[in-house]
Amino acid sequence: MPDLLLELFSEEIPARMQAKAADDLRRMVTDKLVAEGLVYEGAKAFATPRRLALTVHGIPARQPDLKTERRGPKIGAADAAVQGFLKATGLTSLDDAKIQRDPKGDFYIALIEKPGRDAIDVLAEILPVIIRTFPWPKSMRWGARSGKPGSLSWVRPLHAITATFGLETEEPDVVKFSVDGIEAGQTTYGHRFMAPSAISVRRFEDYEAKLKAAKVILDPQARKDIIFADAKELTFAQGFELVEDQVLLDEVSGLVEWPVVMMGSFEAEYLAIPEEVIRATIRNNQKCFVVRDSKTGKLTNKFVLTANIEAADGGKTIVAGNERVIRPRLSDAKFFYETDLKTKLEDRLPKFEQIVFHEKLGTQAERIKRIERLAAEIAPLVGADVAKATRAAHLAKADLLTEVVGEFPEVQGLMGKYYALAQGEDASVAAACEEHYKPQGPADRVPTDPVSVAVALADKLDTLVGFWAIDEKPTGSKDPYALRRAALGVIRLITENGLRLSLMKMAASALAALSLKPADAQKLPSDLLAFFADRLKVQLREQGARHDLVDAVFALGGQDDLLMIVRRVEALGKFLESEDGKNLLAGIKRASNILGIEEKKDKRTFDGAPDAALYGLGEEKALAKAIGEVTAEASAAVAKEDFAAAMSAMAKLRPPVDAFFEKVRVNDEDAKVRENRLKLLNEIRSATRAVADFSKIQD
């Protein structure tokens, strides 16, 4: 079957837009093909700085013929309805229609046959629409063509369109269409500087090979591989080690069509600047990689750049140009850093009194005081020194007002640590200045130093409770204040550090620190607890645990000790993987279902202890005895927080439960016996609630 080759050749596409644009092109074209009945075999899209390309394999040469039935008016309907039906369906008379029998009457049915079109004609129709409606985040219009103003809105000026369609064994045809005066054809262009001449192409294999000969590597992954391999080899050959950076690699590969890796240097005096500042300066301003000494592990005064040309002088001019730009950038960074060191962190704090954190939550200075107070309360609970936690909370935000962080926001916190150490602060206080922002995502490191943990919890809880109090909660996909991330951070801080903390008490303390008193303040902690429960479900699900087990534990109520909840969920999950667990769950579900039906029928619950005098069968007595023993044993295990032992105790219920349902008829003819047996079933449900609400567990 024929293949499609499509290329949109333009001025430079921003690197950050290329990957999504390639994916959008593939999706839009293939969706349209499928909608038109042209089911393809495979598709792949590519992007370089100057082109989007797409190849779609195995497209049928022609659409299938379509046969559809259209229902018309009833037999005997008004002439106007009949004429409208004939006109809409293309029938010449009702003799060409079928009659469909229906209880509501007999109707005319038209069988409409629509012959399929050649796929190349369909492509000529859909491709210009896709190009005109392409979803660029930002686009532009440019000069007139053929004396007429341009009408196309595109990311950068579009210069050429290549569109061919045909079998591999034949000369392909051009898909004939035009967009804004640009006629689709078979002509593309090579590298802007090294091979700018026009290239005539036919199909994808021919296209990719000719582009490579014209110094263009079409595949972004191939360009990444070349840059990474060459950079590693270049640094290794000189006894150094590349500092890998996947995000930068992705960006750099979108800046070049023919990557050429080179190494430059800068004055060693700039190595006195913190390494992260050097890296941010070189990375952000010149899109270059930094280099580490493999022996010492410290940065060297070298950097790796990626050029887009094989220079006649071997790249000396390009390297020198980059060095000329990097040198003043590092000089500025050194000046900022040295200037920052002249002012102590705490001397910067008065400026926060004029900076509003949120109009309803006060200034940054007020927020810092809240975090200090909360950190002091949390410190003893996590084994931190109260004075150090208070001091760290006092200084943690101060680096936001420094010159370096103003220039490079991504090093906030980190610079706070450097400045704190430089002014002689305790190491734990300095570490907390950096780590109180952590963890910022599921892959981020979780602080373990108690001072850092105390300040990090205080910072995140103040954020959560504050925005909860003013009713700025996340809605749907919107979370402008990153409250989901803050809640996940609290969860990870607690669970990964093995902390026993009450979320409700901490939330209440954070609420008390706020100057405002929302009308719904009493409901705030429990409302927030439900939010934490949802976040915990997400966390556990990502770790492979079942979210319904979280529901089963939270349903017991009154639990806000996250570590204990996680341990219960883990024990419950292991128990339910065993045969005893699976069978006991089935028995409990059966008991709950029977109770639910009978409670609904009788419009009451069957609470209260069953009467032992009414037990007429041995299976009833055995079950009642087992429930009493298991309840005591499981409760004692839960009290010791030995949840594995509690589950083992629950497993002892399996044999008597199985025997009960095999031998005992619950809905006995004797009303008193029936009620007593239903109460016994309720005892099963109550007993198992010592560890979890089994009704919340999915089969």
Side-chain angles (χ1 to χ4, degrees):
M1 289 192 285
D3 298 339
L4 167 69
L5 168 64
L6 175 66
E7 183 203 70
L8 305 171
F9 180 80
S10 69
E11 294 293 332
E12 274 72 6
I13 304 167
R16 67 183 183 279
M17 297 184 187
Q18 291 172 20
K20 184 177 184 303
D23 188 61
D24 285 340
L25 182 64
R26 178 195 56 77
R27 174 183 52 80
M28 294 174 77
V29 171
T30 55
D31 284 356
K32 282 284 189 181
L33 287 172
V34 172
E36 293 289 344
L38 297 169
V39 180
Y40 61 97
E41 293 177 359
K44 191 171 184 180
F46 305 87
T48 80
R50 295 207 298 162
R51 69 198 80 224
L52 289 180
L54 173 71
T55 177
V56 185
H57 306 293
I59 302 173
R62 187 177 177 82
Q63 286 178 314
D65 295 338
L66 296 178
K67 294 183 179 181
T68 58
E69 290 186 349
R70 179 163 175 172
R71 184 168 171 168
K74 286 184 179 181
I75 294 176
D79 185 62
V82 171
Q83 293 303 318
F85 170 65
L86 294 175
K87 183 177 181 181
T89 57
L91 300 183
T92 56
S93 73
L94 290 177
D95 293 338
D96 298 325
K98 295 193 303 181
I99 295 176
Q100 184 180 71
R101 306 295 179 186
D102 191 280
K104 297 181 180 179
D106 296 340
F107 291 84
Y108 291 111
I109 298 293
L111 182 62
I112 303 172
E113 295 187 11
K114 183 181 178 182
R117 295 185 295 161
D118 288 338
I120 195 169
D121 294 332
V122 176
L123 288 166
E125 182 180 283
I126 66 175
L127 292 180
V129 174
I130 289 170
I131 295 170
R132 289 188 178 280
T133 60
F134 202 80
W136 292 109
K138 292 183 179 180
S139 57
M140 60 182 292
R141 297 180 188 274
W142 54 96
R145 297 181 185 278
S146 304
K148 297 181 181 179
S151 62
L152 178 64
S153 181
W154 195 251
V155 64
R156 294 291 185 271
L158 186 64
H159 292 316
I161 301 172
T162 298
T164 67
F165 182 73
L167 294 167
E168 186 177 347
T169 56
E170 299 176 0
E171 184 70 21
D173 294 318
V174 172
V175 183
K176 295 181 179 179
F177 66 91
S178 68
V179 176
D180 201 34
I182 304 171
E183 296 284 342
Q186 294 178 259
T187 302
T188 187
Y189 300 86
H191 192 280
R192 181 186 288 277
F193 304 111
M194 294 189 290
S197 301
I199 303 169
S200 178
V201 297
R202 296 178 298 169
R203 55 181 53 83
F204 179 74
E205 291 76 12
D206 165 62
Y207 164 76
E208 186 177 34
K210 286 185 175 179
L211 278 183
K212 189 172 183 180
K215 304 297 185 182
V216 175
I217 303 295
L218 181 65
D219 189 345
Q221 187 58 52
R223 297 198 300 275
K224 291 179 195 177
D225 293 343
I226 291 169
I227 295 168
F228 184 70
D230 288 357
K232 292 270 285 187
E233 183 178 347
L234 181 60
T235 52
F236 179 77
Q238 298 193 31
F240 302 130
E241 181 180 296
L242 180 73
V243 177
E244 298 180 19
D245 188 331
Q246 185 60 51
V247 175
L248 180 59
L249 180 61
D250 291 342
E251 184 175 8
V252 170
S253 70
L255 297 174
V256 297
E257 290 194 320
W258 189 259
V260 179
V261 176
M262 306 173 189
M263 182 179 287
S265 63
F266 55 87
E267 287 74 10
E269 66 182 84
Y270 295 122
L271 294 175
I273 309 171
E275 292 187 355
E276 295 82 0
V277 178
I278 296 173
R279 183 176 181 180
T281 301
I282 293 176
R283 181 187 194 275
N284 294 3
N285 293 306
Q286 286 303 108
K287 311 303 179 189
C288 295
F289 298 88
V290 292
V291 177
R292 182 184 293 119
D293 187 319
S294 55
K295 295 179 181 177
T296 65
K298 295 182 178 180
L299 288 191
T300 69
N301 60 327
K302 303 287 184 181
F303 63 90
V304 172
L305 64 97
T306 308
N308 189 34
I309 189 172
E310 293 176 348
D313 64 355
K316 293 180 181 179
T317 303
I318 295 172
V319 170
N322 277 268
E323 290 175 342
R324 280 197 303 272
V325 175
I326 283 176
R327 190 174 297 114
R329 297 287 191 181
L330 288 173
S331 180
D332 287 346
K334 186 171 182 288
F335 173 78
F336 292 151
Y337 177 60
E338 292 174 347
T339 300
D340 287 340
L341 288 173
K342 295 175 183 178
T343 305
K344 287 190 173 183
L345 289 173
E346 58 194 318
D347 293 340
R348 300 178 183 276
L349 295 177
K351 290 185 179 180
F352 280 130
E353 294 176 3
Q354 280 75 50
I355 300 175
V356 175
F357 171 64
H358 188 282
E359 60 179 353
K360 294 182 180 180
L361 296 174
T363 64
Q364 281 281 16
E366 291 172 319
R367 181 167 188 256
I368 289 170
K369 289 178 182 177
R370 294 198 302 268
I371 295 172
E372 285 182 51
R373 174 178 164 179
L374 195 53
E377 290 188 34
I378 294 173
L381 305 176
V382 300
D385 181 277
V386 174
K388 291 180 181 179
T390 305
R391 179 67 175 168
H394 183 65
L395 299 177
K397 303 295 182 184
D399 73 333
L400 295 174
L401 298 174
T402 62
E403 297 287 343
V404 169
V405 174
E407 184 72 14
F408 305 110
E410 65 267 31
V411 296
Q412 69 180 23
L414 178 66
M415 296 312 299
K417 179 186 75 172
Y418 283 126
Y419 296 140
L421 289 172
Q423 69 183 42
E425 296 291 339
D426 180 88
S428 291
V429 171
C433 289
E434 176 191 7
E435 295 181 330
H436 79 284
Y437 290 109
K438 295 182 177 295
Q440 293 189 327
D444 197 15
R445 178 175 62 84
V446 174
T448 56
D449 184 280
V451 174
S452 295
V453 172
V455 181
L457 284 171
D459 180 48
K460 292 169 176 58
L461 285 167
D462 176 77
T463 299
L464 285 160
V465 172
F467 285 109
W468 226 258
I470 61 173
D471 201 26
E472 289 283 0
K473 307 170 188 176
T475 55
S477 61
K478 295 181 180 179
D479 187 10
Y481 302 109
L483 300 185
R484 292 188 180 99
R485 186 175 68 187
L488 182 58
V490 171
I491 289 168
R492 292 189 64 203
L493 282 163
I494 291 174
T495 58
E496 294 184 31
N497 282 296
L499 300 175
R500 302 300 305 276
L501 299 171
S502 168
L503 278 176
M504 291 186 72
K505 287 181 180 178
M506 290 194 298
S509 294
L511 181 62
L514 290 168
S515 58
L516 71 162
K517 296 293 181 182
D520 202 27
Q522 296 300 318
K523 295 182 180 178
L524 173 62
S526 58
D527 188 18
L528 187 57
L529 182 61
F531 181 68
F532 274 110
D534 288 338
R535 292 299 92 203
L536 182 59
K537 290 177 196 175
V538 173
Q539 169 79 353
L540 292 175
R541 186 164 59 242
E542 288 178 351
Q543 294 175 354
R546 290 166 45 180
H547 66 87
D548 58 325
L549 303 189
V550 183
D551 287 333
V553 173
F554 265 100
L556 300 181
Q559 299 184 56
D560 65 343
D561 184 333
L562 294 182
L563 185 62
M564 187 172 69
I565 290 168
V566 169
R567 288 176 178 171
R568 279 189 184 235
V569 170
E570 290 173 351
L572 185 58
K574 290 179 181 177
F575 176 57
L576 293 175
E577 289 175 358
S578 68
E579 283 302 310
D580 281 344
K582 293 174 184 175
N583 291 327
L584 180 59
L585 175 62
I588 295 169
K589 287 272 191 179
R590 185 174 178 183
S592 296
N593 290 338
I594 293 172
L595 274 170
I597 294 169
E598 300 307 315
E599 285 173 343
K600 186 176 181 180
K601 185 189 299 182
D602 289 18
K603 297 181 181 178
R604 67 186 183 96
T605 59
F606 294 94
D607 299 322
D611 185 352
L614 292 175
Y615 294 150
L617 297 174
E619 287 78 11
E620 292 177 276
K621 297 174 184 177
L623 178 57
K625 181 182 178 184
I627 289 172
E629 293 172 351
V630 164
T631 301
E633 188 177 342
S635 298
V638 169
K640 296 176 183 177
E641 297 182 6
D642 187 348
F643 301 113
M647 298 300 166
S648 296
M650 285 290 111
K652 296 176 183 178
L653 277 179
R654 180 196 164 184
V657 167
D658 289 348
F660 178 86
F661 281 118
E662 184 177 344
K663 299 292 185 179
V664 178
R665 179 185 176 191
V666 175
N667 287 318
D668 194 86
E669 294 178 359
D670 187 323
K672 289 184 179 180
V673 172
R674 169 182 175 271
E675 180 178 351
N676 204 57
R677 288 175 177 173
L678 289 170
K679 285 183 177 180
L680 187 56
L681 292 187
N682 191 56
E683 291 283 289
I684 299 174
R685 188 166 62 180
S686 299
T688 55
R689 286 181 67 86
V691 292
D693 184 347
F694 279 70
S695 68
K696 300 290 184 183
I697 301 173
Q698 299 173 3
D699 294 332

